[in-house]
Amino acid sequence: MNRREFLKVAGLSLAGLTGWQTFNLLSGGAFAKSLPGVQNSVQKQWGMVVNMEACSRKAGCNDCIDACHRIHNVPDLNSPKDEVKWIWTASYDKVFAEQDHAFSNKGLKNRQIIVLCNHCENPPCVKVCPTKATWKREDGIVMMDYHRCIGCRYCMAACPYGARSFNWKNPRPFIKEINQDFPTRTTGVVEKCNFCEERLAKNLLPACVEACEEKALTFGDLNAADSELRRILNTKFSIQRKPHLGTQPKVYYTV
Amino acid sequence: MIEKALIGTRRYWKWIMLLLVVGIIGFIFYLQQLREGLGITGMSRDVSWGLYIANFTFLVGVAASAVIVIIPYYLHNHKEFGRITILGEFLAVSAVIMSILFIFVDLGQPARVFNIILYPSPTSLLFWDMVVLTIYLMLNLLAGWYTLDAEHKKEPVPSWVKPLIILSIPWAISIHTVTAFIYSGLGARPFWLTALLAPRFLASAFASGPALLILLCLTIKKVTRFDPGKDAIQKVSQIVTYAMCINVFFLLVELFTAFYGGIPEHRAPFLYLLFGLEKSITLVPWMWVSIVLSCISLIFLIIPEIRRKENLLTTACIMVFISIWLEKGLGLVIPGFVPSPLNQIFEYRPTLPEVLITLGIYAVGFLVLTILFKVTTTVKEEASN
């Protein structure tokens, strides 16, 4: 390495370091103002708690589902075989089958529960992907690269929550109104909930959380002890889907 | 040496034409699948793997079973196997080619297949399966071809071939173990989450693969002047017998844990498979056919007087092959997805395009096999003259 090369490398490294700090300061600072309980020092870990009682107050309400599917260009294929869904409902006795029993409260048994990707601490889908097309970000969001996915569907086999959908056919003709701010997907790739990372980047709450009039969904940073999310988890009894599998879901449910 | 595949009887060319036609029909439907997406298959959001992955799994077993003729000849010096080792290796070659094709047609974005190499992911068993299958294909192709080439030229086999053959023995075990690990490491799928899966895969492989090899040897004996030898076929049939017994034993062991253990999520897929769940019984008749065929084939194989009669052995081998194809193909893949993670039951039925694409791949595999076997038998015929 000659002097000229050394200067180049050293200069770039320095610029990188300061640039990174500036970025951290800017983005972290901006986040802290709008999202409750976010600190700069610790890495954020996004999580969500679903208040199952509040969620069931308005019968037949699909506000969160509609909001999510609208902004993410999720097609409406109207077929259980080919359908794509990021957030949907299933009855309590299916979602929490291991908790349900013959004499459990009738109202609870048939209650429709919101389900979505759990953004697991140990995501099995990430482990099995042969192309790293799905990965876990530092803030815990399990992401998808629709351009790298080869459509082998190993992640779908590995997900214990059925959170992933495959584009069995071209989704575009089945999107009612295309949102130009979010990519549509192509045939033959897997997709799922992204915890609205594109909105978080703009300091906005996930679309489902925002859309819920009953305030049944609470989103926040699990690493921030003073967040509303942590307050709820600290004061109420909460459960997770299939905790025995060791995936450590970051979507919690309060009864 | 390959030119020997270009000279054949009328019957040989008819067979080649038949395979080509089936292959082309499959390819035409594959083009439709490329255009419209995998939605033209019976696979669904809940049952997201089907006939393709089932055949992939089954054929990796057939490929691995080549060791059944390699071990006795190269490690135990059983001379009678010498006549069929190359056949075993070439069967492995065509089975691996079919396996890889089945994975390929199952991809939603086949144009991006090289992403597996561009972004190697050592935590993914599918990545490792690609690695071990590719190497296994090369090992068997090189070993088979150069052994045959030496025989053709009446020269000793090149010294570098034997290490490859020896390496192919543990490698065969590895391909099927890795294939089992694709399934048996998924906490999401209680049906597959069993340490017994890899041993079960090997047992069923060592029954179904050699059963097919016997059928092929008997066919060769009929249509060519090369005789693979009664001794070799009888020895292989003993191996099929042992492997089939172990396979059935493993299945019963699995059923014991599922039903006596009684854990609902572990038991449900077995119930679906054998008796149906909530009136969904698509797989049930197929599984009982598989069970009945296993039992009858075991009777045929275990009684020496029956096994030694070539026409009855043929029947037994056909039964073993179909029984294991059902058990290890659809019977393994589909119940992994039923009931779904949300305890729903969605039934899978392959569609016509899916079946034709599957047959097309088998045609391609058998075309490769026919060409390799044609060269082999012609060289062997010439050598014995």
Side-chain angles (χ1 to χ4, degrees), chain A residues 52-53 56 90-93 100 103-113 255:
Chain A
M52 292 196 278
E53 187 274 320
S56 65
S91 60
Y92 176 87
D93 62 336
D100 187 49
F103 309 103
S104 54
N105 181 303
K106 276 255 166 52
L108 185 63
K109 215 181 184 63
N110 300 319
R111 186 179 285 171
Q112 291 298 304
I113 309 292
V255 185

Side-chain angles (χ1 to χ4, degrees), chain A residues 128 132 149 153-154 157 168 187, chain B residues 39 48 106 109 112 120 124 189:
Chain A
V128 302
K132 301 192 180 110
C149 174
R153 310 187 296 293
Y154 198 3
W168 296 103
T187 318
Chain B
S48 48
D106 191 62
Q109 285 287 337
R112 300 179 187 166
S124 173
R189 309 288 170 183

Side-chain angles (χ1 to χ4, degrees), chain B residues 72-136:
Chain B
Y73 183 70
Y74 286 97
L75 298 187
H76 299 281
N77 210 18
H78 283 295
K79 291 280 180 258
E80 60 272 32
F81 284 92
R83 300 175 72 81
I84 57 169
T85 49
I86 296 173
L87 298 179
E89 284 161 345
F90 284 165
L91 175 59
V93 168
S94 71
V96 176
I97 289 172
M98 286 188 268
S99 306
I100 293 174
L101 283 175
F102 273 116
I103 287 279
F104 186 79
V105 298
D106 191 62
L107 295 180
Q109 285 287 337
R112 300 179 187 166
V113 66
F114 287 111
N115 279 1
I116 301 182
I117 299 162
L118 275 173
Y119 311 102
S121 314
T123 57
S124 173
L125 268 306
L126 215 53
F127 165 76
W128 287 112
D129 216 32
M130 183 216 60
V131 173
V132 292
L133 278 176
T134 316
I135 295 175
Y136 189 68

Side-chain angles (χ1 to χ4, degrees), chain A residues 113-239:
Chain A
I113 309 292
I114 285 288
V115 288
L116 64 157
C117 171
N118 280 294
H119 297 276
C120 304
E121 182 62 28
N122 304 312
C125 53
V126 168
K127 192 162 64 179
V128 302
C129 177
T131 60
K132 301 192 180 110
T134 189
W135 75 98
K136 199 179 100 185
R137 302 203 316 189
E138 286 201 339
D139 60 4
I141 296 181
V142 176
M143 285 285 287
M144 266 302 297
D145 183 341
Y146 309 122
H147 298 98
R148 191 186 285 189
C149 174
I150 59 172
C152 70
R153 310 187 296 293
Y154 198 3
C155 56
M156 293 175 80
C159 176
Y161 306 105
R164 290 175 165 267
S165 306
F166 182 71
N167 286 283
W168 296 103
K169 49 173 89 165
N170 181 11
R172 284 164 192 147
F174 300 93
I175 304 169
K176 280 188 201 96
E177 198 181 331
I178 290 181
N179 169 19
Q180 300 292 346
D181 297 329
F182 197 81
T184 57
R185 271 76 65 194
T186 179
T187 318
V189 298
V190 171
E191 62 179 82
K192 65 167 198 73
C193 156
N194 64 349
F195 249 7
C196 280
E197 60 87 22
E198 81 285 0
R199 288 171 60 90
L200 293 175
K202 290 190 227 159
N203 302 325
L204 296 168
L205 282 168
C208 55
V209 179
E210 199 180 77
C212 180
E213 286 173 9
E214 299 295 330
K215 304 264 174 276
L217 307 176
T218 309
F219 184 85
D221 178 11
L222 287 163
N223 278 349
D226 58 345
S227 63
E228 174 68 1
L229 180 67
R230 284 282 297 274
R231 193 193 61 75
I232 295 171
L233 293 175
N234 195 28
T235 51
K236 287 190 167 174
F237 175 70
S238 58
I239 52 177

Side-chain angles (χ1 to χ4, degrees), chain B residues 4 7 30 62 70 89 95 109 113 128 144 157 162 168 171 175 183 185 188 190 239 262 294 298 300 319 337 339 358:
Chain B
K4 304 213 182 300
I7 302 155
Y30 179 65
V62 173
I70 300 296
E89 284 161 345
Q109 285 287 337
V113 66
W128 287 112
V157 180
K162 185 136 188 219
S168 80
W171 215 271
I175 62 165
Y183 300 97
I239 294 166
S294 297
L298 271 184
F300 273 48
M319 287 191 287
F337 295 100
T358 301

